[in-house]
Amino acid sequence: MRANGRRASPAGCTADCIADSAGGITFDITGAARPDAVLVLRLRDGAAEVRLPLTWAGESRLRAVLPSTVELAEGHWDVFTGAPGEQPVRPGVRDVRALVDRIPGAGRVAARIPYATADGRLAVRSWVRAPHAEAGTVRCEPGATTVEGTLYGAELGEGAEAEARLRGTDRSHRVAVTGRGGSFAFTLPYGPLAARPVVGRQWWDLWLVPARNAAGIRISRILDDIWDKRTAYVCAGHGTDGWLAAPCYTGDNDFSVRLDPAPVSAAAR
């Protein structure tokens, strides 16, 4: 084990992955895997696992297929080879091009992206949302952010709003939503979020309320090939009067606004 507490990268098998637009993933395994082994996907909290048979695919490769019809609960699934022993799998080439701008079918929205963990292991990030509000174009403007998106599994009705909820509190702020059917758009001004003094970092999570008295739907972006958007989608921060706001994504690819106290300039010190 490394000094920082992370396990060393596995020395055994490597898996190339191909993801398809329907939600299936093909794993081609090379290395120490045996033909009588299985590929194991285990939810990181240990609450569930999926076992897939490994079959010969030629040229000393074994193959396992995760069909789109096999359910994976939302979360991080670590990948192992099992029987007779069990060992983590290293990530090889990951072809996720089919996931870009995909349009899901009817029913609940499921998304799966294979990725490399920080310590060099293969894992799969899975989302299951029903209904789902997919963030699309985000425009970062001085004093506000404008979001356009698509709603799956529900439609906009009378009184549709977007709601910003201050994490860990009961504070919220709502704005009107425009659009029809599955399309929605709204502009969220930052000023009302900073109506009280900003002391320390605040996270305002964004929800779509599709109709009056309807339950909120978390706004996220999961229908592409990026499993963690925290550094892939970075918007410029704007603010005044002692605060700085920036739209951003969480580690779960949910959409939020981060509100920080503005740094004190050298001239003001």
Side-chain angles (χ1 to χ4, degrees):
M1 182 175 290
R2 297 176 182 172
N4 63 5
R6 291 178 177 170
R7 296 179 180 178
S9 299
C13 306
T14 298
D16 294 337
C17 302
I18 301 176
D20 64 49
S21 60
I25 302 175
T26 299
F27 302 87
D28 279 347
I29 312 293
T30 58
R34 291 175 44 165
D36 57 344
V38 294
L39 195 72
V40 180
L41 279 68
R42 182 171 297 129
L43 194 59
R44 193 157 294 169
D45 64 6
E49 72 174 28
V50 172
R51 303 176 73 85
L52 304 172
L54 282 164
T55 59
W56 285 112
E59 299 182 358
S60 301
R61 298 170 71 90
L62 297 172
R63 177 170 294 167
V65 177
L66 174 68
S68 59
T69 53
V70 172
E71 295 186 2
L72 290 186
E74 180 154 338
H76 296 264
W77 293 74
D78 295 310
V79 182
F80 304 86
T81 54
E86 186 175 279
Q87 59 183 341
V89 176
R90 288 195 308 261
V93 176
R94 298 182 304 283
D95 185 348
V96 292
R97 291 172 294 178
L99 303 181
V100 177
D101 296 328
R102 76 182 186 92
I103 299 175
R108 64 182 181 173
V109 174
R112 301 162 180 179
I113 305 177
Y115 71 94
T117 66
D119 57 355
R121 297 162 183 262
L122 178 65
V124 175
R125 181 61 169 98
S126 173
W127 291 266
V128 182
R129 302 287 172 92
H132 170 58
E134 176 79 359
T137 300
V138 175
R139 294 195 294 275
C140 305
E141 303 158 348
T145 184
T146 296
V147 180
E148 299 175 0
T150 304
L151 178 60
Y152 296 97
E155 291 190 351
L156 293 183
E158 185 177 353
E161 294 179 304
E163 182 176 36
R165 302 177 183 175
L166 179 58
R167 195 178 300 173
T169 76
D170 59 359
R171 287 182 59 193
S172 64
H173 177 71
R174 290 193 175 194
V175 295
V177 167
T178 60
R180 294 184 60 186
S183 298
F184 66 87
F186 63 89
T187 296
L188 176 69
Y190 301 141
L193 309 185
R196 302 179 189 179
V198 179
V199 180
R201 174 165 289 179
Q202 297 179 357
W203 294 96
W204 291 81
D205 297 326
L206 271 62
W207 297 72
L208 179 66
V209 182
R212 187 173 294 113
N213 299 323
I217 303 166
R218 191 68 168 96
I219 299 174
S220 310
R221 183 164 182 168
I222 61 175
L223 296 176
D224 60 18
D225 60 339
I226 302 174
W227 74 274
D228 185 346
K229 296 180 174 60
R230 284 176 290 185
T231 58
Y233 290 83
V234 179
C235 294
H238 297 281
T240 186
D241 297 330
W243 54 267
L244 187 69
C248 58
Y249 288 95
T250 71
D252 293 320
N253 286 356
D254 295 329
F255 192 67
S256 299
V257 170
R258 187 183 67 243
L259 199 63
D260 287 301
V264 178
S265 67
R269 293 174 184 161

